[in-house]
Amino acid sequence: MRGNSLYFSKLRRPSLRPGLPRASRPLTIWLLPHAGAGLALAFSILFVGPVCVNTNLFDILPVSRALKSVPGAAHVAEAEKILSNRNGRQVYILTASTDFTEARRGAARLYETFAGSSAFESLSLYVDETVMDQFSTYLHEYRYVLLNGDDRRLLEEGRGGSIAEDALSAVFGAFAFSPLDNLATDPFFLAGRGMNRFLASSLLKSGALSLRDDVLAAQYEGRWYVMLRGTLTPSGVSITNGDSAVEKIYAACASIKAGSPNIGFVYSGVPFHSYESSSEAQREISLISTVTLIIILILFLIVFRSPLPALFSILAVGASLLLAAGTTLLIFREIHILSFVFGTTLIGTCVDYSIHYFIHWKGNPIRSHVMRGITMSFVSTEICFAAMFFAPFGILRQFAVFSLAGMLSSFLTVVCLYPYSKAPVKNRRHYANDSDHASISASNRVLLKRLGLAGILTISLVLLFINRDKVRVENNISSLYTMSGTLRESEKIAAGILDHGSSGWYFIVTGSTMEATLEQEEALRRRLDAEISRGALGSYLAASLFVPSIQTQQQSYEAARLLLPLAEKQLAYLGFPPEAAAEFNANFNAAQGHYVLPEEGLPQGGLPPYLRELISSLWSPAENAYYSCVLPLHAQDESPFRTIAGEFDGVFFMNTVKDIGSELDNLTRIMLFIFLAAYVCIAIVIRFFYSWKKTFRICTVPFLLALVTITVLALLDIPLGFFSVTGLVLVFGLGLDYMFYITESDNAGVVSGSGDRSSTISAIWLSFATTALSFGALALSGFVPVHIFGLTVFTGLTTAFIAVMLLSGIGSENQRNSGGGQ
C-alpha cells in the first residue's frame, strides 16, 4: 500500500512565477468553495429571502414522539410548533410597591413606553370601560348563541323562570356589571350572565389578581403588584441588542426604578429565560473565542518564534468560520446560536493542521508523511461529522454542516495556500529527539508504556463497574437550564400571584374543518368536566368556552327560544309596554343563523381584542386543517389525560418536558449507534491504508477514550444524554488525529536522531494544547448543554492524547530499525 502515498510525495511548494497554470491551480481549488458559497449565499438572500441567527433556546428541542406516530403528524407537529411559539412569546411584568398608587403609576409608565412598539404584538394593562364596552357589545350581539351548558339545561328542563328571576335581581339590585340600556332587546339579561362568566374566568382573573382602579392588581407579602401582560413579536424575542424586547424592557424598568427607588419589577415568561440563557451563551462565545485565540497566538510565538505561523493560523480559522457559517445559512436559512457555541471548537481543531504543517516548516518541501497524516485526520473527522448529519435532529444537522464546511476550509487552506508561503532557510527551533532521552532504554520505555495502558484500562473498568448503576441514557430538559437567582426569585413571586395552574401539559385537537375541530374540542371538554367532578382537574382553558361550535350555538339558540313565552311578563316587570314583546320576538327571529366564529366576529371590528388575544394563543388554522389547544389547569397527574386523548381520534396529549426528554433519549441511542457505525467505517478506511497490527493500534485509541469518558461521566453522575454522546462522537474523530500523525511519522522510516519523530510528538503536544483549550473553556460554561459537551470532549481528548503517547513507542522500534513500512 505504499503507493497510496505517491501523491503526497509529489507535493511541492507551488511556483510563484506568473503564467504557470500549475501555480494557480491550488489557489483556484481553494477559491471554488469559499467564493462559491459566498456568492450562492448572497444570491439566495437576494432571491429567496433573508437569513437569520436563531437565539431561541427552546428551538433546539426535537418534536415529541407522540406526534410522530400518528397520521398527519407533520401538520400536527407544525401546529404544535406554532402554538408553542406564540405562547412562548408571552411575557408578564408585575410592577411592585408597598403603595398601590405608586405601583399603578409605574406600570402605567411602562405601558406608555411600549404602547405601539414594534417589539410587541399586543400589550395590555387597563381593564377599563372600553374593554367592558367591547365585551358587552360582543355578548349582546351573540347573546342567544353564547349560552353555557348550565343555562341550556335550565331552559331545556323548563326552568327558564329562574333565569328571568336572576335578571330581575340583577336589574333592580345594587350593582350590575353590564349596562342596562339594552333591556328592551335583552330582558333576560343574557349578556349580563355572559359578562359574569367572563369576569370569573381565567381570561381576566388569575390567582390573587383582581380588578382595582381599571388594572389587575394583587397584594402579596406586604406589597402591591400591578400586572402588565404582552406578547412579543418574533423579532422582539431576538436577543440582539437592536431587536431584543427583553433588553428594552430591562432598560425601561431600570429607568423607572431610578426615578422611583421604591418600585420593583417581577418578570415571568419564556422570553426572559431565553434571553438570559442565550445572552450568556453569546458572552461565553466571545470570551472563549478571544481568550483561546490569544493563548494560541502566544503559544505559536513561543514555539515557532515567528509571527507568520500564528497569522496564517488565525486567518485559516477565520476562513473556516466564515465558510462554516455561510454554508449553514445557505442550507438551513438560519443558524442556531448553539451551533456557534459548538462551532468555537473549530478554533482548536482547525489549527491542528497548521501546527503539523509549520512544525515541519523547513527549507525543503513539506514532507509527504505530514500531508498524508493531515489527510487521514481530515477524512476520519469528516466521517464523524457526516454521520451526525443523518441524525433526525435539526440542531445536530446544523452543527454537522457547520463543522464539515469549517474543516474542509482548514484542510484546503493548508494543502492549497500554505505551500505558497516562503519557508525559513533553516529550522528556527530544535526539538529534542529520542536520543536525548537515552537514559531510559527502549525496552524499559515500552514496558512502562504498556503498564500505563494496562493501568488506564484496569482503573477505568473497576470504576465503571463500581458506578455501573450511574451509567444510563437519560435526558431531562429541565436540567439543561439553570435560572439566575434574580430570575428565580421573580418566577417564585409571579407563581404566587398569577397561579396559572398550568404545568405545561396540553391537548392538541385537530379537525379538517373549523366546525369539526370545535365539536371535537367540546367533546373533549365534556370528558374533562367529568375529571373536574371527581377532583382530578381544577379547570381548563379552551377556545370553545368563548366561541362554541355552530352545532352548540344552534342548540343554545333553540334553548333560548323557550324564553319567548316568558318575554311579555318579563318586559312588563321591567316597565316596557305590551308591544315590546312583539318587538322582542321579531328581534329573536332575526337573530337566527347569526353565529360567531373564531376567525370572525362583530361587523363593528371583530372579536374583542382581549378575547382575540386569548383565542390566538389557542387556535391555529392551517392548510386543509384546524388545530386548537386545550389547557388543563391545576392538575397533578398526567395519566388520566393520556387515557382521555386515546379515547378520541385527532386528540393528542402533550407533556412537553417528558415527551421531549423521551425523544432525546431515543436520539441519544441513535447517536450511540452512529458512534459504532463511524467506528466500523473508519476502521475499514484505516485497514485500507495500514496493516492489521497498525489498524489495531490506531483503533485502540477511540476504545480507550470512550471507556474513560463514560467512566468520568458516571463518577460525576452525569447520564449519557444527547449532548454528552454528541461530544463522544466528535472526540472520536478528533482523538484519532494524533495516532495518524505519529503513525505516519513512523511510516517515514526515520531513524532515531533525525528529529522528525520528535517534531511530530512536539506537534501533537501543541495540537492537544490548543484543542484542549477550546473544549476545556467550554467545560467551564454555566450553560449546561455546553458544559456537558465541553467536559465530554475535553476528557476524551485528554485520554486520546495520553493513549497516543503511550502507544507511540509500542511496536514501532522494529519498524524504525528496518526502515519503515506500512
Side-chain angles (χ1 to χ4, degrees):
M1 294 186 182
R2 183 178 292 275
N4 290 322
S5 62
L6 287 178
Y7 168 77
F8 302 104
S9 65
K10 295 178 181 179
L11 282 174
R12 296 292 188 272
R13 183 165 60 93
S15 170
L16 301 180
R17 290 177 294 170
L20 292 181
R22 291 187 61 187
S24 61
R25 193 174 304 154
L27 181 60
T28 302
I29 294 174
W30 186 91
L31 283 174
L32 280 175
H34 290 80
L39 289 173
L41 179 61
F43 278 110
S44 72
I45 293 174
L46 185 61
F47 295 105
V48 178
V51 294
C52 66
V53 176
N54 187 344
T55 59
N56 191 337
L57 169 65
F58 300 95
D59 278 354
I60 71 173
L61 302 177
V63 175
S64 168
R65 190 188 303 182
L67 297 182
K68 290 184 175 182
S69 58
V70 297
H75 297 294
V76 180
E78 184 63 24
E80 191 272 341
K81 183 177 180 181
I82 293 172
L83 291 169
S84 297
N85 177 272
R86 189 178 295 151
N87 295 330
R89 292 188 277 115
Q90 292 183 347
V91 295
Y92 296 87
I93 308 168
L94 300 171
T95 307
S97 176
T98 54
D99 179 63
F100 168 76
T101 303
E102 186 176 37
R104 187 185 182 281
R105 189 184 308 118
R109 285 187 58 191
L110 190 61
Y111 176 79
E112 291 166 2
T113 300
F114 292 106
S117 170
S118 60
F120 281 85
E121 197 171 88
S122 64
L123 187 65
S124 60
L125 170 64
Y126 301 107
V127 187
D128 53 16
E129 292 182 0
T130 302
V131 174
M132 292 301 185
D133 288 345
Q134 290 172 345
F135 264 98
S136 295
T137 304
Y138 169 72
L139 293 170
H140 181 265
E141 182 77 14
Y142 296 98
R143 59 193 178 280
Y144 299 122
V145 296
L146 292 180
L147 301 179
N148 67 357
D150 292 337
D151 289 345
R152 284 199 305 274
R153 279 190 292 272
L154 283 175
L155 292 170
E156 290 167 354
E157 293 171 1
R159 291 188 290 165
S162 63
I163 293 179
E165 292 174 1
D166 290 343
L168 294 175
S169 298
V171 172
F172 297 112
F175 180 75
F177 286 110
S178 298
L180 304 178
D181 49 2
N182 294 318
L183 286 178
T185 55
D186 187 16
F188 298 99
F189 212 48
L190 297 181
R193 295 176 74 88
M195 180 64 76
N196 290 337
R197 291 196 304 272
F198 158 66
L199 292 174
S201 73
S202 56
L203 174 62
L204 178 66
K205 184 179 179 181
S206 182
L209 291 168
S210 60
L211 191 60
R212 179 185 172 109
D213 289 356
D214 69 12
V215 295
L216 290 174
Q219 195 170 22
Y220 183 77
E221 296 182 349
R223 304 190 81 188
W224 280 99
Y225 293 86
V226 177
M227 186 184 77
L228 181 69
R229 181 175 64 179
T231 301
L232 304 183
T233 60
S235 61
V237 179
S238 169
I239 69 166
T240 58
N241 292 335
D243 297 326
S244 173
V246 174
E247 187 163 330
K248 294 175 181 177
I249 290 171
Y250 285 154
C253 291
S255 175
I256 295 172
K257 188 173 177 61
S260 303
N262 294 328
I263 288 181
F265 294 93
V266 170
Y267 311 100
S268 178
V270 170
F272 294 108
H273 299 281
S274 182
Y275 175 85
E276 181 177 87
S277 59
S278 299
S279 57
E280 179 63 26
Q282 281 193 336
R283 285 192 293 269
E284 287 178 353
I285 289 173
S286 301
L287 179 61
I288 289 171
S289 301
T290 302
V291 173
T292 301
L293 284 173
I294 290 174
I295 295 177
I296 289 174
L297 177 61
I298 294 172
L299 284 174
F300 270 54
L301 292 175
I302 293 174
V303 172
F304 296 110
R305 298 182 181 179
S306 170
L308 289 180
L311 177 61
F312 290 156
S313 299
I314 292 174
L315 292 176
V317 169
S320 297
L321 292 176
L322 286 175
L323 181 62
T327 304
T328 306
L329 290 171
L330 180 63
I331 294 175
F332 298 100
R333 312 306 300 166
E334 71 171 23
I335 182 169
H336 197 278
I337 190 68
L338 202 59
S339 293
F340 274 122
V341 174
F342 290 159
T344 58
T345 59
L346 287 176
I347 296 175
T349 55
C350 287
V351 297
D352 284 0
Y353 300 157
S354 301
I355 290 170
H356 285 276
Y357 185 94
F358 290 115
I359 282 288
H360 297 272
W361 202 33
K362 300 179 180 180
N364 58 315
I366 192 73
R367 293 185 177 274
S368 62
H369 73 270
V370 175
M371 298 304 294
R372 179 181 168 94
I374 289 174
T375 302
M376 291 298 299
S377 168
F378 169 72
V379 171
S380 64
T381 305
E382 293 287 82
I383 288 176
C384 290
F385 287 134
M388 289 185 185
F389 184 78
F390 295 99
F393 193 14
I395 188 66
L396 196 60
R397 290 176 177 172
Q398 279 193 21
F399 177 47
V401 170
F402 190 96
S403 301
L404 283 167
M407 295 302 293
L408 174 64
S409 173
S410 182
F411 176 74
L412 291 179
T413 299
V414 172
V415 173
C416 299
L417 298 188
Y418 280 6
Y420 282 99
S421 62
K422 183 178 180 180
V425 178
K426 60 181 180 180
N427 286 328
R428 292 186 175 270
R429 188 171 182 84
H430 171 70
Y431 301 98
N433 54 43
D434 294 345
S435 62
D436 296 329
H437 306 284
S439 57
I440 302 178
S441 65
S443 59
N444 287 336
R445 287 201 301 272
V446 171
L447 177 61
L448 290 174
K449 291 180 177 182
R450 286 176 175 171
L451 289 175
L453 287 171
I456 292 175
L457 182 62
T458 302
I459 293 173
S460 298
L461 289 174
V462 170
L463 291 176
L464 190 61
F465 178 79
I466 294 174
N467 296 276
R468 62 188 181 280
D469 294 337
K470 297 180 180 179
V471 180
R472 64 195 186 280
V473 174
E474 179 181 294
N475 291 272
N476 182 1
I477 64 171
S478 61
S479 66
L480 297 182
Y481 163 62
T482 303
M483 284 185 281
S484 66
T486 303
L487 195 53
R488 185 185 299 109
E489 186 63 23
S490 278
E491 287 290 6
K492 180 180 177 181
I493 296 173
I497 297 173
L498 300 176
D499 189 23
H500 293 299
S502 175
S503 56
W505 308 341
Y506 54 95
F507 293 91
I508 288 184
V509 182
T510 68
S512 57
T513 64
M514 184 187 307
E515 176 66 9
T517 306
L518 287 171
E519 290 180 7
Q520 185 79 304
E521 183 179 289
E522 289 171 341
L524 173 63
R525 283 175 46 209
R526 289 191 289 271
R527 185 66 177 81
L528 293 178
D529 288 338
E531 295 300 312
I532 294 176
S533 299
R534 73 181 190 88
L537 177 65
S539 60
Y540 54 80
L541 197 59
S544 59
L545 281 170
F546 309 99
V547 183
S549 67
I550 299 299
Q551 181 184 66
T552 298
Q553 293 182 61
Q554 289 173 341
Q555 292 173 355
S556 294
Y557 182 81
E558 292 304 317
R561 187 183 297 277
L562 299 174
L563 290 170
L564 295 181
L566 307 176
E568 184 174 357
K569 182 182 292 187
Q570 184 77 357
L571 287 165
Y573 282 141
L574 294 173
F576 290 99
E579 58 268 20
E583 294 179 8
F584 174 79
N585 290 341
N587 182 276
F588 179 85
N589 292 329
Q592 186 170 8
H594 188 47
Y595 305 124
V596 62
L597 298 175
E599 296 175 326
E600 299 177 6
L602 298 174
Q604 293 90 336
L607 297 171
Y610 225 97
L611 183 56
R612 188 186 307 121
E613 180 183 349
L614 171 71
I615 291 179
S616 69
S617 66
L618 300 173
W619 189 263
S620 176
E623 185 178 357
N624 300 322
Y626 290 83
Y627 305 93
S628 70
C629 178
V630 177
L631 299 175
L633 305 176
H634 301 286
Q636 300 298 323
D637 184 13
E638 67 158 23
S639 55
F641 304 127
R642 292 193 182 275
T643 302
I644 290 172
E647 298 173 2
F648 298 90
D649 292 331
V651 175
F652 311 97
F653 177 72
M654 308 294 298
N655 180 344
T656 305
V657 173
K658 183 176 180 179
D659 292 345
I660 292 180
S662 299
E663 186 60 26
L664 284 175
D665 289 346
N666 183 52
L667 287 171
T668 300
R669 296 184 182 95
I670 292 175
M671 293 305 299
L672 288 171
F673 174 78
I674 288 176
F675 176 82
L676 293 176
Y679 187 72
V680 172
C681 182
I682 292 176
I684 294 173
V685 173
I686 293 171
R687 178 61 190 92
F688 180 76
F689 287 97
Y690 301 104
S691 65
W692 280 109
K693 184 176 182 179
K694 289 183 179 178
T695 299
F696 176 78
R697 285 177 60 210
I698 294 173
C699 292
T700 299
V701 174
F703 171 77
L704 284 175
L705 71 86
L707 175 64
V708 173
T709 301
I710 293 174
T711 301
V712 170
L713 293 175
L715 285 172
L716 298 174
D717 199 19
I718 297 176
L720 287 175
F722 173 77
F723 292 99
S724 57
V725 173
T726 300
L728 195 61
V729 174
L730 173 61
V731 76
F732 166 51
L734 299 177
L736 283 173
D737 295 356
Y738 306 144
M739 203 63 201
F740 285 131
Y741 295 133
I742 198 68
T743 301
E744 283 304 317
S745 180
D746 290 340
N747 280 349
V750 181
V751 297
S752 179
S754 66
D756 275 16
R757 190 170 190 276
S758 59
S759 296
T760 300
I761 292 177
S762 299
I764 292 174
W765 271 97
L766 185 57
S767 174
F768 167 72
T770 56
T771 308
L773 279 172
S774 298
F775 291 106
L778 291 180
L780 299 175
S781 171
F783 190 30
V784 177
V786 178
H787 165 74
I788 293 176
F789 180 82
L791 176 65
T792 302
V793 178
F794 177 77
T795 303
L797 273 180
T798 303
T799 304
F801 172 73
I802 294 173
V804 168
M805 292 297 100
L806 294 176
L807 286 167
S808 63
I810 299 177
S812 61
E813 295 297 327
N814 292 335
Q815 175 195 311
R816 291 200 300 271
N817 292 335
S818 61
Q822 291 295 313

